[in-house]
């Protein structure tokens, strides 16, 4: 998969260093939002999150985001979810341009969110594992 280094506008917004902000980066990239706006939106939804046995720590735009809260953010923005993995199905879709739709999508992979635009991975590192990384599902927006 072709890789394009893209921090989603993080450095332009004045943020420094590395952090676990993959959700915010991916959101800013595919939704074409300023990084700060995506950051604030993510934290706004994280405020309403409840801790549970499985999720002891709340989502945070800087340190990590739970998929359940990511669903709420994308639903709020009018994006649709397409699951690609089901119980007992095994991995059927990978971070491979031949297996993903064209357009602007955010793929949910193990412990990471990755922005893909027309088959090109936009992230701060190539997380495709040579196109073998399993995609659990992806968010996309219908063209208006």
């Amino acid at each position: 998969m072709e890789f394009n280094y893209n921090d989603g506008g993080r450095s332009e917004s004045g943020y420094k260093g590395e952090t676990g902000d993959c959700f915010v980066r991916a959101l800013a990239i595919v939704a074409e939002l300023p990084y700060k706006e995506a950051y604030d939106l993510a934290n706004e939804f994280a405020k309403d999150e409840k801790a549970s046995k499985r999720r002891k720590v709340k989502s945070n735009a800087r340190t990590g985001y739970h998929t359940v809260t990511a669903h709420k953010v994308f639903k709020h923005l009018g994006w649709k979810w397409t699951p690609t993995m089901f119980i007992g199905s095994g991995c059927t879709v990978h971070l491979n341009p031949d297996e993903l739709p064209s357009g602007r999508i955010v793929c949910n992979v193990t412990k990471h969110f990755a922005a893909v635009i027309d088959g090109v991975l936009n992230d701060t590192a190539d997380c495709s594992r040579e196109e073998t990384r399993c995609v659990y599902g992806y968010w996309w927006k219908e063209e208006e």
Side-chain angles (χ1 to χ4, degrees), residues 1-2 4 17 25 28 31 37 67 78 86-88 97 107 121 123 126 128-129 141 143:
M1 172 171 260
E2 188 179 336
N4 176 46
R25 277 196 322 266
E37 188 177 323
T67 303
F86 304 92
I87 295 171
C107 294
L121 177 63
D123 208 338
D126 185 351
S128 70
R129 296 182 185 154
K141 188 168 186 172
E143 296 297 320

Side-chain angles (χ1 to χ4, degrees), residues 13-96:
S13 296
Y15 293 89
K16 294 180 178 158
E18 293 183 14
T19 187
D21 68 340
C22 63
F23 174 73
V24 174
R25 277 196 322 266
L27 176 62
I29 293 165
V30 299
E32 299 178 285
L33 295 171
Y35 182 87
K36 178 71 170 130
E37 188 177 323
Y39 189 94
D40 291 342
L41 179 65
N43 277 335
E44 190 62 36
F45 274 84
K47 277 192 225 175
D48 297 332
E49 198 174 88
K50 303 280 189 260
S52 69
K53 285 183 181 181
R54 295 191 66 175
R55 289 177 285 134
K56 295 181 189 327
V57 179
K58 283 185 170 188
S59 292
N60 183 284
R62 187 177 65 80
T63 58
Y65 219 75
H66 296 295
T67 303
V68 67
T69 309
H71 279 286
K72 292 175 184 175
V73 172
F74 279 110
K75 184 176 181 179
H76 169 77
L77 294 173
W79 290 60
K80 298 186 187 225
W81 169 251
T82 298
T84 58
M85 191 173 198
F86 304 92
I87 295 171
S89 72
C91 185
T92 57
V93 176
H94 305 85
L95 267 180
N96 178 323

Side-chain angles (χ1 to χ4, degrees), residues 91 93-96 99 127-135:
C91 185
V93 176
H94 305 85
L95 267 180
N96 178 323
E99 298 178 24
C127 63
S128 70
R129 296 182 185 154
E130 298 179 356
E131 300 182 357
T132 63
R133 191 154 190 188
C134 189
V135 175

